[in-house]
């Protein structure tokens, strides 16, 4: 007997609630003229702010991880796995080492903004292990061209799958060692 009374009470409560929802339905479906709802109104729009960057130690041969760029790329392209970081600003930073076919070695400290597909060059490495700050260190678009494609390869295939930054340095190291990020179709 108590069970049937409880069921009746719950059914009556449900009916009352559903009648209230139905009564409010026109206001929900047809808001007053001039009412504008914007999804982004629910979130604070804060301008992106880059965090202060510290130059890493010079790259070490034992922590260099070579990566594939393209069939036409000449030279050996590597990232120092010990220098990969993902900042609070969402920037993936790393030391890039490029050794040309003739033996010339270029070392640079760079960053990728995955959400905007941009890159920034912070500094060049010197032979003595010190750094020289880049004169032109503004953010620029990562272009997927045949020449100098290594930035596009790092962005699209290793550190920014689908335009989203890796979460940890370990994820970046794993992607380099595996020949690509697991979220990038091959």
């Amino acid at each position: 007997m108590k069970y049937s009374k409880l069921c009746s009470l719950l059914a009556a409560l449900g009916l009352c609630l559903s009648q209230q929802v139905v009564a409010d339905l026109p206001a929900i479906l047809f808001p007053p003229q001039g009412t504008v709802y914007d999804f982004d109104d629910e979130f604070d729009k804060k301008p992106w702010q880059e965090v202060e960057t510290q130059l890493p130690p010079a790259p070490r041969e034992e922590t260099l991880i070579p990566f594939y760029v393209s069939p036409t790329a000449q030279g050996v392209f590597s990232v120092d796995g010990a220098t990969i970081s993902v900042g609070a600003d969402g920037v993936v930073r790393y030391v890039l080492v490029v050794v040309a076919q003739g033996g010339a070695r270029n070392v640079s400290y760079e960053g990728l903004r995955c959400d905007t597909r941009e890159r920034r060059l912070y500094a060049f490495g010197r032979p003595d292990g010190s750094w020289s700050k880049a004169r032109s260190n503004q953010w620029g678009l990562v272009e997927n061209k045949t020449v100098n494609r290594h930035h596009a390869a790092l962005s699209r295939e290793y550190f920014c799958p689908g335009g989203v930054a890796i979460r940890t340095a370990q994820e970046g190291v794993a992607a380099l060692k595996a020949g690509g990020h697991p979220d990038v179709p091959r």
Side-chain angles (χ1 to χ4, degrees):
M1 199 69 168
K2 290 181 181 179
Y3 180 74
S4 64
K5 284 186 179 182
L6 179 63
C7 287
S8 298
L9 183 61
L10 288 174
L13 180 62
L15 182 61
C16 288
L17 289 175
S18 65
Q19 287 176 343
Q20 183 61 43
V21 169
V22 170
D24 291 341
L25 200 54
I28 294 169
L29 293 177
F30 307 104
Q33 191 171 7
T35 304
V36 177
Y37 295 105
D38 186 4
F39 176 76
D40 290 331
D41 287 345
E42 297 178 23
F43 300 98
D44 291 335
K45 291 184 182 180
K46 296 180 182 176
W48 179 78
Q49 181 69 41
E50 185 173 13
V51 298
E52 188 173 333
T53 303
Q54 299 292 324
L55 295 174
R60 298 187 334 252
E61 290 299 321
E62 62 269 15
T63 55
L64 291 180
I65 306 168
F67 64 95
Y68 177 77
V69 174
S70 75
T72 59
Q74 297 180 0
V76 177
F77 300 85
S78 302
V79 168
D80 184 348
T83 65
I84 298 172
S85 68
V86 183
D89 54 6
V91 176
V92 179
R93 294 179 179 85
Y94 55 90
V95 170
L96 174 69
V97 178
V98 179
V99 180
Q101 285 182 326
R105 178 182 167 108
N106 293 304
V107 177
S108 55
Y109 182 53
E110 305 183 0
L112 289 171
R113 280 187 70 189
C114 297
D115 59 341
T116 60
R117 296 261 190 227
E118 291 178 296
R119 66 182 272 281
R120 182 176 179 188
L121 177 62
Y122 294 101
F124 292 103
R126 295 183 178 132
D128 67 359
S130 64
W131 293 100
S132 171
K133 287 196 174 188
R135 289 185 198 144
S136 177
N137 64 359
Q138 301 301 311
W139 288 99
L141 190 61
V142 174
E143 297 183 51
N144 193 14
K145 295 181 175 181
T146 305
V147 179
N148 293 329
R149 188 183 179 279
H150 51 283
H151 296 111
L154 286 172
S155 174
R156 295 171 188 265
E157 298 158 25
Y158 298 95
F159 295 157
C160 306
V164 178
I166 55 174
R167 291 179 234 64
T168 64
Q170 294 80 11
E171 185 180 351
V173 168
L176 288 166
K177 288 182 176 180
H181 196 279
D183 291 346
V184 175
R186 291 181 200 145

